[in-house]
Amino acid sequence: MIATTVFPGASPSSYAYRSVTGRDLISIQDFSSDELACALELAAAMKARPADFRGILSGKQIVLFFEKPSLRTRLTFEAGINSLGGASFFVDQTQSRLGARESLSDVAHNLERWIDGIVLRTFAHEAVTTMAQHAAIPVINALSDMEHPCQAMADMLTLQQHFGDLRGVRLAYVGDGNNVANSLMLAATSLGASISIGTPRGYEPDAAITEAARELAAVSGASVNVVNDPIEAVAGADAVYTDVWASMGQEDEAANRSKIFAPFQVNQKLFSYAAKHAVFMHCLPAHRGDEVATAVIDSPRSVVFEQAENRLHVQKSILVLLLEGGIHRFPPRSANA
Ligand code: CP
Ligand code: NVA
């Protein structure tokens, strides 16, 4: 898409801001670790000083196509776009798949004539990559069966704000090696946090993504550990993360999965193997009594609503970066930022 422009005297941050303009966010791998760090820096600034960024997306039109239900993702995109002065259009695709009525490439070539950005929640990851391949405007993955990058970036902001620095943080994820686990593994290792994943045998995260995360970890000084023992995964962790055992589209498997995943429930006993200061994380929606016990998710150690809040700030940052929402108009950093 649009070529990177490096302008004289650019700071590392402004370089990375500029370098993502016009690109897509389909996988966490679409951003370098510097670009991810800059997106989090901008998100933190937007969270601290939202009024400074009002109007920054004025004149921008963004469409949201969702094949699956959503509370957080839909509303944080819509509220975020609105608060930045842009316009959003929600298209409910839960009754028929995107591409059922006409080809994805024709949809893409229509949208690029009217709209500035596309946000997609799909079943098939390929629907997002195909849209991105054909549309000359940025495409953002708002969850596919393979990845949930906006969630993982919000989770990294949550950990960063809690621990101060992601490097050295040890994150444990227990449960299903799903879209959330895949993006989490990539985001953590890209930013220097180590991750230990505990799943039942046969439910490990995607093999290619695990390999990519190991490569990112080798560069950032982090590590990736995939095991089939929940206690081994959680031992000594600074944060313990879980997600539903049956993702959207896997409802038919829910009863069977409940039996298979039962030893991976994050209850007080399993949580007690983590560090004393450990926090509990969940992307939500949660099923109390299945993947997490009420006593853990509703305890003072739980940061699930910080994660949910940070979806808003991170997605505002992503939109501004990809859509070049008045980058030149960014307020100067305050002296103590
Ligand atoms: N965590 C998350 O993506 O929530 P929704 O499915 O409600 O958007
Ligand atoms: N893994 C879950 C995440 C929901 C936000 C799903 O895909 O349904």
Side-chain angles (χ1 to χ4, degrees):
M1 287 205 166
I2 297 170
T4 300
T5 315
V6 186
F7 39 96
S11 70
S13 292
S14 57
Y15 167 78
Y17 286 154
R18 182 64 72 176
S19 73
V20 295
T21 302
R23 286 177 19 203
D24 307 304
L25 176 60
I26 295 166
S27 164
I28 287 288
Q29 296 182 85
D30 291 335
F31 279 15
S32 69
S33 43
D34 279 353
E35 289 164 348
L36 277 179
C38 287
L40 298 192
E41 181 188 326
L42 178 59
M46 291 174 136
K47 181 175 182 176
R49 309 190 307 277
D52 287 355
F53 298 88
R54 269 187 205 130
I56 209 164
L57 283 186
S58 68
K60 302 285 184 188
Q61 325 245 34
I62 296 128
V63 67
L64 288 77
F65 287 93
F66 278 43
E67 291 184 339
K68 294 171 173 171
S70 171
L71 175 73
R72 282 147 291 273
T73 310
R74 175 181 177 175
L75 286 174
T76 49
F77 267 111
E78 290 187 333
I81 292 164
N82 186 281
S83 74
L84 294 169
S88 64
F89 308 96
F90 182 79
V91 184
D92 182 349
Q93 288 289 151
T94 55
Q95 302 310 309
S96 70
R97 299 280 159 89
L98 210 67
R101 185 163 174 257
E102 59 187 303
S103 71
L104 284 171
S105 62
D106 278 0
V107 175
H109 293 312
N110 277 268
L111 294 176
E112 69 194 11
R113 301 289 176 120
W114 314 318
I115 297 287
D116 300 290
I118 305 170
V119 178
L120 289 182
R121 169 167 284 200
T122 64
F123 286 91
H125 188 66
E126 205 190 2
V128 191
T129 55
T130 304
M131 186 71 90
Q133 184 194 336
H134 292 284
I137 52 176
V139 172
I140 299 172
N141 180 358
L143 182 148
S144 68
D145 283 347
M146 186 63 85
E147 277 210 51
H148 197 359
C150 301
Q151 178 71 53
M153 288 172 68
D155 299 336
M156 291 303 114
L157 180 63
T158 307
L159 286 170
Q160 193 178 60
Q161 296 202 316
H162 192 88
F163 291 109
D165 189 353
L166 286 167
R167 284 165 300 177
V169 167
R170 290 162 308 157
L171 175 59
Y173 175 97
V174 284
D176 187 22
N178 59 16
N179 44 10
V180 168
N182 287 336
S183 290
L184 205 57
M185 201 167 43
L186 291 169
T189 51
S190 183
L191 292 165
S194 291
I195 187 159
S196 187
I197 307 233
T199 74
R201 211 169 288 284
Y203 293 89
E204 292 85 358
D206 180 80
I209 290 184
T210 306
E211 190 47 41
R214 288 195 205 285
E215 285 169 20
L216 288 168
V219 174
S220 70
S223 63
V224 178
N225 190 26
V226 181
V227 296
N228 300 118
D229 177 354
I231 297 174
E232 192 183 339
V234 164
D238 299 306
V240 179
Y241 199 125
T242 192
D243 183 17
V244 291
W245 292 337
S247 284
M248 292 180 277
Q250 297 173 333
E251 289 79 5
D252 292 354
E253 298 175 39
N256 189 38
R257 282 172 172 255
S258 283
K259 289 183 219 132
I260 295 168
F261 283 86
F264 292 80
Q265 184 192 67
V266 182
N267 48 35
Q268 282 174 307
K269 183 157 194 305
L270 182 58
F271 196 61
S272 73
Y273 289 95
K276 286 260 173 303
H277 58 257
V279 294
F280 171 74
M281 304 180 78
H282 194 306
C283 56
L284 305 178
H287 298 109
R288 288 167 174 77
D290 285 342
E291 75 273 6
V292 60
T294 303
V296 174
I297 191 169
D298 294 332
S299 78
R301 305 305 318 164
S302 175
V303 294
V304 298
F305 298 117
E306 268 73 36
Q307 293 173 259
E309 179 188 337
N310 287 334
R311 296 293 305 278
L312 174 72
H313 310 300
V314 156
Q315 286 157 205
K316 284 168 70 175
S317 164
I318 292 166
L319 285 164
V320 166
L321 295 176
L322 299 185
L323 272 59
E324 200 183 16
I327 283 168
H328 53 286
R329 290 187 274 132
F330 278 175
R333 282 200 234 175
S334 60
N336 58 0

